[in-house]
Amino acid sequence: MSDKILNIALADDDEDDRMLFNEAIDEIAIRTKLSLFNHGQELMDYLTLPNIVLPNLIFLDLNMPIKNGQQCLLEIRSNPRLKDLCVAIYSTSSSEKDIEETFLNGANIYVNKPNNFSKLREVVEKVLQLNWQYHTSNLNKETFLFRI
């Protein structure tokens, strides 16, 4: 077992969703450090600080005030220091337009927010266990939308 800690960030304006996500992470047997952000601008301000440890994976809600997930994704992909970060869109939206747009804008995976806690824990655990190098090198529309 590796001593490596998985650095994860979640940007979501819904306080209940942040709390449940945090609880799910706590119950998973993967060593993680979770940073929570209330909206996209807060996340982007953090990511552009000098000398921070960049997250291994960012979960981005699409519908947030101030700066939404789509805007964050575009900013991340256009920033040379951030462009290779793994980004999981984490949204209640199952709109084809949202899925298509985030795929084209360079997200690594699209996860629909589950409607119960045990499914949430299962989804988060599976996403954290993905072999990201393999997943991103074989990315297509079928592997992009994560279903459980």
Side-chain angles (χ1 to χ4, degrees), residues 57-138:
L57 176 59
I58 298 170
F59 284 85
L60 261 184
D61 183 23
L62 278 183
N63 303 310
M64 294 183 284
I66 306 169
K67 185 170 284 185
N68 68 35
Q70 203 66 265
Q71 293 166 311
C72 291
L73 177 60
L74 289 169
E75 245 180 82
I76 289 167
R77 291 299 178 238
S78 64
N79 181 319
R81 186 169 161 252
L82 308 175
K83 69 179 176 49
D84 295 326
L85 292 175
C86 289
V87 177
I89 300 301
Y90 179 66
S91 179
T92 52
S93 167
S94 49
S95 129
E96 277 301 316
K97 180 185 172 293
D98 287 340
I99 295 166
E100 180 79 18
E101 214 173 303
T102 53
F103 178 75
L104 294 173
N105 289 335
N108 299 99
I109 196 166
Y110 194 104
V111 180
N112 278 120
K113 286 183 184 178
N115 54 7
N116 73 51
F117 184 75
S118 62
K119 270 201 166 51
L120 170 64
R121 190 179 61 235
E122 190 181 341
V123 162
V124 171
E125 186 166 24
K126 284 203 160 79
V127 170
L128 296 186
Q129 289 172 339
L130 280 176
N131 177 337
W132 284 97
Q133 272 182 309
Y134 175 80
H135 182 80
T136 51
S137 67
N138 292 292

